[in-house]
Amino acid sequence: MIPLLAQAAGRGSLSREETLSALRRGLEEPNPMPPVMPLVIIGILGVAAILLLFHALRSRRTAAQPFSYLRHAAQLAGLSLAELQDLQVVAERARLPHPTAMLLCPTALAHAVGLAAAAEPDAARDERLQRISRKLFGVGLGERG
Amino acid sequence: MKKLDALYQWLAKAAAPEADQILGAALALADGAYAARLASVLLDRRGEAAWIALVANFPRVPVELRPRLLAEPELLRAAAAAVLATGSPNGRRAALTLLELHPSPQLAEHLADLLRDPDESLRTAAAALLRRYALHVLEPGKPAGDPDTARLFRGHVTRALAEALRTFDAHGRPEVLEAALWFARELGETLWTALAEPRSQRGRCAAQHLRTWNSPRLAAFLLLGLARPEWRTTVRPLLEGWSGRTELVALLRNTELLEDPQVRRGLRHLRTPAWFSANVGAPALLPPDVRGALPLWVRNLGFTDAERLHYLTQWQTSALPDVHRAAVYALASLPGAGALRVLVDVAGRRCPMSRFARWFVAGARTLAQARRPTAAPPVAEEAV
């Protein structure tokens, strides 16, 4: 409607009748899409695509990260995130197939710490693991309960 | 410690087999109260993965908990088979320890596979255990009271020995070759073909060790070897050297081998063997299931007809029905007038075989009369 009125306006002053008929034609004729609309639609589709991609990536990341027995066991055992990280480092250095076993008995933990120390000595880490052993089992590494 | 309890409870209830593997990995390093607790949790889980963890760590399972492990024989066998096939070297060693303490001949085939294990100590242990299982199933009535089960066990051990024989050149364990010779009857041509293979060490190894392996368990092998010209000179000295009652009984237990004409021909090469002559004076002292075979052996061993007649004449008067019956049948198969005279005597006596003897003598007399009327000795009228 606005373009029709604008066209009529471009021709000079309109009579009342002309104005009304132009208005009627404008109402009767289909409204052509403004030039900005395709951009808006492309923008909306783009945002949707980004959202979909983000969702898919997040799903994949969630699927690639299976349930961690060690993480859950550490939570149940009341260990902090820092302590869990120490245990993860030990498990990795000691190449343990079942790291959670470290939390089940003091000899398993001491064995893992020994293997990790042989692979990569770290006195500070050993000290922290000593504390974990006392916290979990009431005895230090290598001590009998 | 309450938090540790929560951790144990979570693993006790976790459905995934990873929980069993975690508990097993901890048990492998645990001792004392922790080992008992871990084993107990695994026993409560009562699944194949739990039993695999327990078998793979059997030495760490406290003695008082072991009856619970053994109370599930099917789970136990499945777990032991899995550990022997795919377990770690320590796990395989633990499974072997379990199978030593609690023999399971159904798993003999897995022991044969273990003979090619990369770990030499495991190969040695597997060979010793396979030989022990072979001994176990050879003991009369030992592996199982039920004959079907005994046959099943024997079948497993025979198959294991066949496999061990096949792979002999890879493992070279003489003790399993020795055990394979004990099963010569069951292995049949598989054994002889394997021993005859020119590129293999089997035949040479057997021939070299035979004197040190000398035992009544070799009875079937020696009898079958006697029937084979290529083995006759190797096995004959061993059979000629036997003199005890145990050896006699072992040979008598293989009487069905005499159905083979080659074996009967082979026996003729043994002239008056000491193991026979020295132990047959009192058949009543021999086991009831074998003594009835004595006359058949006399008939086939390398005795003269006079010696045969001597033994059979003795036994036809035996109070033991089986010996008496077999002696009369053997006499009927002997050529010459001497045997017929004894049968005439049997025909005239009141004994279980007198009816057979009467018919036999009558038949012999009819045949003799048809050929030469005076050949057959007279038979008392009342006896016929």
Side-chain angles (χ1 to χ4, degrees):
Chain A
M1 182 178 79
I2 292 164
L4 283 172
L5 281 173
Q7 284 167 20
R11 291 199 300 267
S13 60
L14 296 171
S15 66
R16 180 181 166 83
E17 192 180 339
E18 281 172 336
T19 304
L20 285 173
S21 68
L23 194 61
R24 200 183 72 194
R25 278 201 309 277
L27 284 170
E28 283 172 353
E29 281 180 17
N31 187 8
M33 189 181 284
V36 72
M37 277 310 277
L39 290 176
V40 171
I41 291 168
I42 288 169
I44 290 168
L45 285 174
V47 169
I50 288 166
L51 283 173
L52 271 172
L53 194 67
F54 177 73
H55 180 72
L57 283 173
R58 202 174 62 169
S59 308
R60 259 180 65 182
R61 204 179 306 141
T62 312
Q65 195 175 38
F67 173 73
S68 166
Y69 278 84
L70 180 61
R71 186 184 300 272
H72 188 71
Q75 278 171 6
L76 285 174
L79 299 180
S80 68
L81 201 60
E83 287 169 328
L84 170 65
Q85 280 167 354
D86 274 335
L87 288 168
Q88 282 170 331
V89 169
V90 167
E92 195 188 315
R93 300 290 183 273
R95 296 172 183 270
L96 299 180
H98 301 291
T100 316
M102 287 187 290
L103 306 186
L104 296 179
C105 69
T107 42
L109 180 59
H111 177 76
V113 172
L115 286 177
E120 186 197 73
D122 184 337
R125 186 185 66 210
D126 289 353
E127 191 52 44
R128 293 194 297 274
L129 286 156
Q130 188 77 254
R131 283 197 294 274
I132 293 176
S133 181
R134 287 190 197 287
K135 185 173 174 181
L136 279 175
F137 310 114
V139 292
L141 295 170
E143 292 173 15
R144 294 211 165 254
Chain B
M1 290 301 231
K2 273 186 182 170
K3 287 183 173 168
L4 196 60
D5 291 343
L7 182 52
Y8 270 86
Q9 276 166 19
W10 165 60
L11 285 170
K13 286 175 186 160
E18 280 90 341
D20 299 293
Q21 290 163 5
I22 290 165
L23 290 160
L27 180 59
L29 297 159
D31 52 17
Y34 284 99
R37 186 172 188 183
L38 289 160
S40 188
V41 171
L42 282 166
L43 286 165
D44 289 342
R45 288 176 63 80
R46 208 177 159 275
E48 191 170 325
W51 253 241
I52 287 174
L54 289 161
V55 169
N57 298 291
F58 178 70
R60 296 206 177 249
V61 178
V63 176
E64 63 274 15
L65 292 178
R66 289 181 185 178
R68 285 179 64 194
L69 176 67
L70 302 171
E72 302 285 347
E74 285 189 19
L75 267 181
L76 190 69
R77 273 196 297 278
V83 174
L84 287 177
T86 58
S88 65
N90 281 339
R92 297 200 294 276
R93 196 167 289 110
L96 282 179
T97 306
L98 167 70
L99 295 177
E100 274 169 21
L101 290 172
H102 305 282
S104 182
Q106 296 101 310
L107 296 178
E109 287 102 320
H110 290 277
L111 298 180
D113 293 339
L114 224 55
L115 292 173
R116 286 173 291 159
D117 196 277
D119 187 323
E120 196 194 339
S121 66
L122 285 174
R123 289 199 301 271
T124 307
L129 194 55
L130 183 53
R131 187 182 182 278
R132 213 180 117 194
Y133 279 12
L135 274 174
H136 187 68
V137 299
L138 282 176
E139 279 182 59
K142 189 68 189 292
D146 167 28
D148 287 340
T149 312
R151 206 173 303 120
L152 178 82
F153 287 1
R154 210 175 163 109
H156 281 292
V157 171
T158 306
R159 281 192 290 280
L161 290 172
E163 174 63 10
L165 192 64
R166 190 184 69 77
T167 57
F168 178 79
D169 291 307
H171 59 75
R173 306 298 315 188
E175 59 269 54
V176 292
L177 184 58
E178 179 193 11
L181 300 192
W182 302 339
F183 288 76
R185 263 166 66 181
E186 287 86 345
L187 290 170
E189 274 309 306
T190 306
L191 174 67
W192 300 107
T193 310
L195 292 178
E197 172 109 45
R199 283 173 300 170
S200 168
Q201 290 294 319
R202 299 179 200 105
R204 279 184 287 279
C205 181
Q208 279 167 9
H209 286 85
L210 206 53
R211 195 158 282 281
T212 55
W213 292 343
N214 190 6
S215 109
R217 287 184 286 271
L218 286 177
F221 172 77
L222 296 179
L223 283 175
L224 291 165
L226 208 56
R228 291 172 179 266
E230 70 276 19
W231 278 92
R232 190 172 296 145
T233 50
T234 311
V235 303
R236 198 169 139 186
L238 260 75
L239 276 172
E240 285 173 344
W242 283 9
S243 60
R245 181 178 301 172
T246 321
E247 281 109 350
L248 170 69
V249 172
L251 288 163
L252 293 179
R253 289 202 194 283
N254 287 287
T255 297
E256 66 262 35
L257 291 179
L258 303 193
E259 286 170 19
D260 181 349
Q262 301 273 32
V263 174
R264 291 203 298 271
R265 267 196 288 279
L267 272 187
R268 302 251 175 225
H269 290 87
L270 293 177
R271 302 264 173 221
T272 324
W275 48 266
F276 195 88
S277 312
N279 300 292
V280 297
L285 297 177
L286 294 171
D289 61 316
V290 297
R291 64 194 177 201
L294 284 174
L296 189 64
W297 282 77
V298 162
R299 184 75 188 79
N300 289 291
L301 280 164
F303 289 115
T304 62
D305 281 346
E307 287 168 325
R308 289 193 183 108
L309 190 60
H310 165 74
Y311 283 118
L312 297 175
T313 305
Q314 268 188 339
W315 293 334
Q316 57 87 19
T317 58
S318 172
L320 303 167
D322 47 348
V323 177
H324 164 68
R325 187 172 52 246
V328 172
Y329 284 138
L331 279 166
S333 70
L334 273 190
L340 196 59
R341 265 196 295 277
V342 180
L343 286 169
V344 168
D345 179 54
V346 176
R349 276 201 332 257
R350 187 181 282 274
C351 66
M353 290 302 283
S354 60
R355 188 182 172 83
F356 167 80
R358 280 200 293 277
W359 279 105
F360 183 83
V361 170
R365 195 174 61 172
T366 307
L367 277 173
Q369 277 171 352
R371 288 179 198 149
R372 201 172 52 186
T374 53
V379 178
E381 192 64 36
E382 65 276 14
V384 177

